[in-house]
């Protein structure tokens, strides 16, 4: 694996067919989400305005990518009962879906027999993987990029198995 990690936006803009995202943590502690997450925990309010500043870096990129014909899928493996963080992600997900992402949720108990990679990731066009590393508290710890065929094969098989078992967002209740 190489440490030369391309810019994520460039990777997504280079996607030609597919961009899939696998998330496996029950909580994240990413600093730029802290304020919105705390607001949700205290008030239950979420930002569902795709034109808001909070979505400015993501929604246009998704719309552009999907508009080129790229299929974007996101699968989340979650423990049940879900954490407050997952409840918050679920409440926000209608914006992802409206922008063009397909999103599914897999209860962790249904993933026990799936050979999963050790980190969250993006798989682009079944040819390259961008792994995300997080600290124990869930903050960003780094990224790793690879086009290693064996790793791509493992990641692709894992994602497709998760996707087949997972529940579409509109049918998953938290």
């Amino acid at each position: 694996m190489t440490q030369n990690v391309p810019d994520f936006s460039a990777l997504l803009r280079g996607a030609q067919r597919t961009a899939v995202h696998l998330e496996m943590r029950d909580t994240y502690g990413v600093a730029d989400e802290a304020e919105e997450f705390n607001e949700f925990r205290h008030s239950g309010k979420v930002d569902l305005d795709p034109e808001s500043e909070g979505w400015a870096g993501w929604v246009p990129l998704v719309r552009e990518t999907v508009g080129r014909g790229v299929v974007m899928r996101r699968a989340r493996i979650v423990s049940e009962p879900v954490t407050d963080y997952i409840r918050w992600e679920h409440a926000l997900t209608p914006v992802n879906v409206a922008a063009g992402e397909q999103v599914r949720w897999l209860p962790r108990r249904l993933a026990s027999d799936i050979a999963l990679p050790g980190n969250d990731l993006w798989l682009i066009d079944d040819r390259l993987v961008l792994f995300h590393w997080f600290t124990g508290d869930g903050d960003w710890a780094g990224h790793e990029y690879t086009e290693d065929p064996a790793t791509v094969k493992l990641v692709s098989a894992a994602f497709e198995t998760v996707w087949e078992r997972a529940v579409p967002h509109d049918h998953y209740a938290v």
Side-chain angles (χ1 to χ4, degrees):
M1 292 190 188
T2 179
Q3 297 292 67
N4 187 14
V5 179
D7 173 71
F8 176 74
S9 296
L11 281 177
L12 207 50
R13 286 187 173 106
Q16 297 175 11
R17 298 177 319 281
T18 60
V20 303
H21 188 32
L22 182 59
E23 298 177 22
M24 299 180 285
R25 294 181 57 96
D26 287 318
T27 188
Y28 295 83
V30 179
D32 63 352
E33 296 177 342
E35 187 177 327
E36 291 85 5
F37 177 53
N38 284 333
E39 173 70 20
F40 172 75
R41 287 179 40 212
H42 295 343
S43 71
K45 294 180 183 176
V46 293
D47 177 7
L48 294 177
D49 177 4
E51 306 306 320
S52 74
E53 184 179 331
W55 288 101
W58 186 245
V59 169
L61 184 59
V62 172
R63 288 176 177 159
E64 172 191 322
T65 303
V66 172
R68 290 193 330 270
V70 175
V71 176
M72 289 186 69
R73 297 182 292 162
R74 178 186 302 255
R76 293 176 171 141
I77 299 173
V78 297
S79 299
E80 294 178 317
V82 300
T83 63
D84 286 344
Y85 187 92
I86 296 300
R87 224 179 322 285
W88 178 61
E89 277 192 330
H90 189 272
L92 289 169
T93 298
V95 177
N96 297 76
V97 172
E101 285 186 74
Q102 299 171 39
V103 180
R104 292 188 181 180
W105 304 82
L106 181 66
R108 192 171 309 281
R109 64 184 161 71
L110 300 177
S112 296
D113 63 342
I114 302 172
L116 295 167
N119 295 289
D120 287 12
L121 60 92
W122 278 90
L123 172 63
I124 308 293
D125 291 332
D126 282 320
R127 65 177 183 82
L128 59 94
V129 180
L130 178 64
F131 288 108
H132 296 300
W133 300 331
F134 295 92
T135 65
D137 292 335
D139 204 358
W140 292 110
H143 305 278
E144 189 169 33
Y145 168 83
T146 184
E147 294 183 62
D148 173 64
T151 302
V152 168
K153 183 178 178 181
L154 168 81
V155 165
S156 181
F159 183 87
E160 292 305 327
T161 302
V162 168
W163 189 257
E164 289 170 13
R165 294 182 187 182
V167 178
H169 174 72
D170 291 343
H171 295 10
Y172 185 73
V174 295

